[in-house]
Amino acid sequence: MTGLHPVKSQITCSSCGLQRICFPSGMTADEVQRLDNIISAQPVFKKGEVIFSAGEPAAALYALKSGMVKLFRMDDQGNEIIHTFYLPGDIIGLDALDQPVYGFDAVALDTCNLCRLEQRDLEMLGMQMPALNRQVLQMMRRELELERAHYENMTHRFAEQRVASFIWSMAQRYRERGYDWECFRLPVLHRDTATYLGLTPETVSRILKKFQKEGVFTWRRKYVEIHDVPRLQQAAGIAPKPDQCPRCCAAMG
Amino acid sequence: MTGLHPVKSQITCSSCGLQRICFPSGMTADEVQRLDNIISAQPVFKKGEVIFSAGEPAAALYALKSGMVKLFRMDDQGNEIIHTFYLPGDIIGLDALDQPVYGFDAVALDTCNLCRLEQRDLEMLGMQMPALNRQVLQMMRRELELERAHYENMTHRFAEQRVASFIWSMAQRYRERGYDWECFRLPVLHRDTATYLGLTPETVSRILKKFQKEGVFTWRRKYVEIHDVPRLQQAAGIAPKPDQCPRCCAAMG
DNA sequence: CGTGAGGTTGACTTCGGTCAACGTTTGTGG
DNA sequence: CCACAAACGTTGACCGAAGTCAACCTCACG
């Protein structure tokens, strides 16, 4: 957390994910101030509330300050297809940039604090700060990379690996953000987990029980506790590579 | 071909996919000329040749003028995971923009004509033509949307629907580009199709045989011929017919 | 407390993978 | 231009991972 930001101030959004767009490009204090003046709306959504939904005019981006959000759309039979879960620090709605309407539904999984940034303001900012455009492109690229990783996970692995991999990637994302990653809150229904992983709740339930029995990790009452990191990595099919994660690190600057 | 382009000249790349980035924003003749001066490299790759591979420095974008390209990477067991097939008019390598190295392998499926555009030249162009940046972002967004559609197709549908949907989407992409879409060349191995669809060659073979027997379409010796559009759409889940899909009926109840 | 959404468990089913054997194309060198 | 090998594709018998169905549990919340 410390030393990452060229400018530190008591501004509105110093803790929200928009800094991930703006700070890496080295904003001046003046630019930060301008950004803060623009990001005035800081809505709060409670569990189950809709942030935006597919088909409505795509007006804004949201930076998630706290809480968790799922992004999904309905298939032709009315089933949810969940594409992503967003964690604090993530930007929501990037894929609707320059689009007439949103393509997905975004729903709060628990109480969420957000920052709202109008698309037209972002566009304005982009003209004043060319480096910002590159950052937006990078975030988009990262979103594509995450989706591809998820796709690979879903299509070329067994159910058990998918579940292990899901827990592992959540832990990693919390770690990247400086939170405790061996014991963290995960306010996702098992049913949503199943949907996200292309499985049924029954299968997820059976697999979670197995991991618990084997002492790898537990997930009870919204809390995940990892007990055996190597076994979890192995179950998730993480290559026994020595140290770092090339892509993520590059993306974060 | 006709009437599509605001500027028509005997320039190098009037037929390559870079126009999809540039023309929609309304380039002037001067700008087109500048673009053409930059895009001088027009390499040809033969079947099986590597355009770029994961890990090597990401230097350029490629616009596919003719032929077909697959984008993939290896999983930890050395299996290919195919993410996309590129058709004439597509831009390849967008996801490596501003990245140190490519994240995927791109291989020619048959003889391919490409235009090569250095990343640093694109960056330069972007500074001179701000609208270009927006176009790049749009192409990226489109790539994300395609990946998500593919993900949905893979994870929430039966093998038969996946195959039908694959053929249908290929037909649509040819149609968009103004080619014959009811009878087209598809130089993709059945094995690669299986990999792309998360299936085995045996399963693909059985399903193709079934579609052929039912007179929906044939795919023999690199050529696809669609005989019954409504049935194909239905099989692909484009135009859902309740009476033909037992599971859906139950679900819709 | 009672109620209902969410979670668990077991018996059974099935889609699609695996294995093995056999056709059919394709491409290369004589 | 043919011969032959290697790559690609097809077919059938069998199997197993995960879905389905149904019953039951348990926990949060009014």
Side-chain angles (χ1 to χ4, degrees), chain A:
Chain A
M1 287 303 282
T2 54
L4 256 176
H5 312 142
V7 174
K8 200 73 184 169
S9 64
Q10 64 285 48
I11 56 179
T12 358
C13 273
S14 67
S15 70
C16 90
L18 287 168
Q19 65 189 198
R20 293 181 63 204
I21 289 189
C22 303
F23 280 108
S25 57
M27 289 171 77
T28 64
D30 181 56
E31 285 168 341
V32 170
Q33 192 55 57
R34 200 156 58 214
L35 180 64
D36 279 6
N37 291 341
I38 284 170
I39 306 165
S40 50
Q42 298 197 54
V44 175
F45 291 86
K46 290 213 278 292
K47 182 178 170 177
E49 287 182 344
V50 175
I51 297 161
F52 55 75
S53 63
E56 76 183 39
L61 294 181
Y62 295 86
L64 186 56
K65 294 175 69 175
S66 72
M68 206 159 159
V69 169
K70 69 173 169 181
L71 187 79
F72 65 95
R73 66 180 157 203
M74 299 299 186
D75 68 10
D76 41 11
Q77 293 141 53
N79 305 309
E80 283 183 9
I81 300 184
I82 299 177
H83 280 265
T84 317
F85 295 110
Y86 289 107
L87 266 47
D90 288 333
I91 306 289
I92 305 170
L94 265 181
D95 48 1
L97 259 188
D98 256 340
Q99 287 292 98
V101 296
Y102 291 109
F104 295 85
D105 292 21
V107 168
L109 294 179
D110 55 356
T111 302
C112 287
N113 288 279
L114 296 131
C115 290
R116 185 183 156 105
L117 174 61
E118 301 300 322
Q119 281 196 17
R120 60 172 175 277
D121 290 336
L122 178 68
E123 196 173 330
M124 209 181 65
L125 277 172
M127 288 181 187
Q128 293 163 9
M129 299 181 271
L132 183 59
N133 293 317
R134 176 178 291 197
Q135 282 301 324
V136 170
L137 193 68
Q138 282 300 309
M139 306 258 346
M140 194 91 158
R141 205 195 44 67
R142 186 177 149 78
E143 191 120 355
L144 178 60
E145 173 54 31
L146 281 177
E147 185 82 17
R148 283 184 169 157
H150 183 212
Y151 164 79
E152 294 182 359
N153 197 29
M154 293 308 89
T155 51
H156 291 262
R157 309 182 96 126
F158 294 116
E160 210 173 295
Q161 293 180 294
R162 294 188 214 173
V163 173
S165 180
F166 172 67
I167 295 297
W168 180 250
S169 79
M170 282 298 164
Q172 289 316 293
R173 288 171 70 187
Y174 276 118
R175 174 147 80 173
E176 283 167 17
R177 287 158 177 74
Y179 297 107
D180 186 357
W181 60 278
E182 297 187 77
C183 178
F184 54 90
R185 182 174 160 80
L186 190 62
V188 180
L189 296 182
H190 289 189
R191 192 184 47 191
D192 281 346
T193 305
T195 304
Y196 179 65
L197 297 178
L199 302 170
T200 58
E202 293 95 324
T203 300
V204 170
S205 176
R206 283 185 253 266
I207 289 169
L208 288 178
K209 190 190 179 187
K210 192 185 168 210
F211 279 128
Q212 179 168 353
K213 204 168 61 185
E214 293 177 353
V216 180
F217 70 89
T218 57
W219 180 7
R220 291 179 65 78
R221 301 157 103 265
K222 313 264 182 229
Y223 283 89
V224 171
E225 220 170 309
I226 299 176
H227 296 119
D228 190 333
V229 172
R231 296 260 298 283
L232 177 57
Q233 284 180 310
Q234 186 189 325
I238 308 297
K241 63 184 160 192
D243 31 67
Q244 92 281 25
C245 162
R247 276 175 245 287
C248 315
C249 298
M252 303 199 69

Side-chain angles (χ1 to χ4, degrees), chain A residues 151 154-156 162 198, chain B residues 149-170 193-200 203-204 207-208 211 217 219 232-238:
Chain A
Y151 164 79
M154 293 308 89
T155 51
H156 291 262
R162 294 188 214 173
Chain B
H150 184 211
Y151 164 79
E152 293 181 1
N153 198 28
M154 294 307 90
T155 51
H156 291 263
R157 308 182 96 127
F158 294 114
E160 210 173 294
Q161 292 180 295
R162 293 186 214 173
V163 173
S165 181
F166 172 67
I167 295 297
W168 181 250
S169 78
M170 282 298 163
T193 306
T195 303
Y196 180 65
L197 296 177
L199 303 169
T200 59
T203 300
V204 170
I207 290 169
L208 288 178
F211 279 128
F217 69 88
W219 181 8
L232 178 57
Q233 285 180 310
Q234 186 187 318
I238 308 298

Side-chain angles (χ1 to χ4, degrees), chain B residues 28-253:
Chain B
T28 64
D30 180 53
E31 285 169 340
V32 170
Q33 192 54 59
R34 199 156 57 215
L35 180 65
D36 279 6
N37 291 340
I38 284 170
I39 306 165
S40 51
Q42 298 197 56
V44 176
F45 291 86
K46 291 211 279 292
K47 181 178 172 178
E49 288 183 341
V50 174
I51 297 161
F52 54 74
S53 63
E56 76 183 39
L61 294 181
Y62 295 86
L64 187 55
K65 294 175 69 176
S66 72
M68 205 159 161
V69 169
K70 69 174 169 181
L71 188 78
F72 65 96
R73 66 180 158 203
M74 300 297 185
D75 69 9
D76 39 11
Q77 292 140 53
N79 305 310
E80 284 184 8
I81 301 183
I82 299 177
H83 281 264
T84 318
F85 296 109
Y86 290 108
L87 266 46
D90 288 332
I91 307 289
I92 306 170
L94 265 180
D95 48 1
L97 258 189
D98 256 339
Q99 286 292 95
V101 296
Y102 291 109
F104 295 85
D105 293 20
V107 168
L109 294 179
D110 55 355
T111 302
C112 287
N113 289 280
L114 296 132
C115 289
R116 185 183 157 105
L117 175 60
E118 302 300 322
Q119 281 197 16
R120 58 171 175 277
D121 290 335
L122 178 68
E123 197 173 330
M124 209 181 65
L125 276 173
M127 290 183 186
Q128 295 163 8
M129 299 182 269
L132 183 59
N133 293 316
R134 176 177 291 198
Q135 282 300 324
V136 170
L137 193 68
Q138 283 299 309
M139 306 256 348
M140 194 92 159
R141 206 194 43 65
R142 185 177 149 78
E143 189 118 357
L144 178 60
E145 175 53 33
L146 279 178
E147 185 82 17
R148 282 183 170 156
H150 184 211
Y151 164 79
E152 293 181 1
N153 198 28
M154 294 307 90
T155 51
H156 291 263
R157 308 182 96 127
F158 294 114
E160 210 173 294
Q161 292 180 295
R162 293 186 214 173
V163 173
S165 181
F166 172 67
I167 295 297
W168 181 250
S169 78
M170 282 298 163
Q172 289 316 292
R173 289 171 70 187
Y174 276 117
R175 173 149 76 174
E176 284 168 16
R177 286 158 179 72
Y179 297 106
D180 186 356
W181 59 278
E182 298 187 78
C183 179
F184 54 89
R185 180 173 160 81
L186 190 61
V188 181
L189 295 182
H190 288 189
R191 192 184 49 192
D192 281 346
T193 306
T195 303
Y196 180 65
L197 296 177
L199 303 169
T200 59
E202 293 95 325
T203 300
V204 170
S205 175
R206 283 185 253 266
I207 290 169
L208 288 178
K209 189 189 179 188
K210 191 183 168 211
F211 279 128
Q212 179 169 353
K213 202 170 63 187
E214 293 177 353
V216 180
F217 69 88
T218 57
W219 181 8
R220 292 180 64 78
R221 302 158 103 268
K222 313 268 182 224
Y223 284 88
V224 171
E225 219 171 310
I226 299 175
H227 297 119
D228 189 334
V229 172
R231 295 260 300 285
L232 178 57
Q233 285 180 310
Q234 186 187 318
I238 308 298
K241 264 289 192 77
D243 56 83
Q244 198 71 6
C245 174
R247 266 162 229 283
C248 312
C249 295
M252 295 176 91

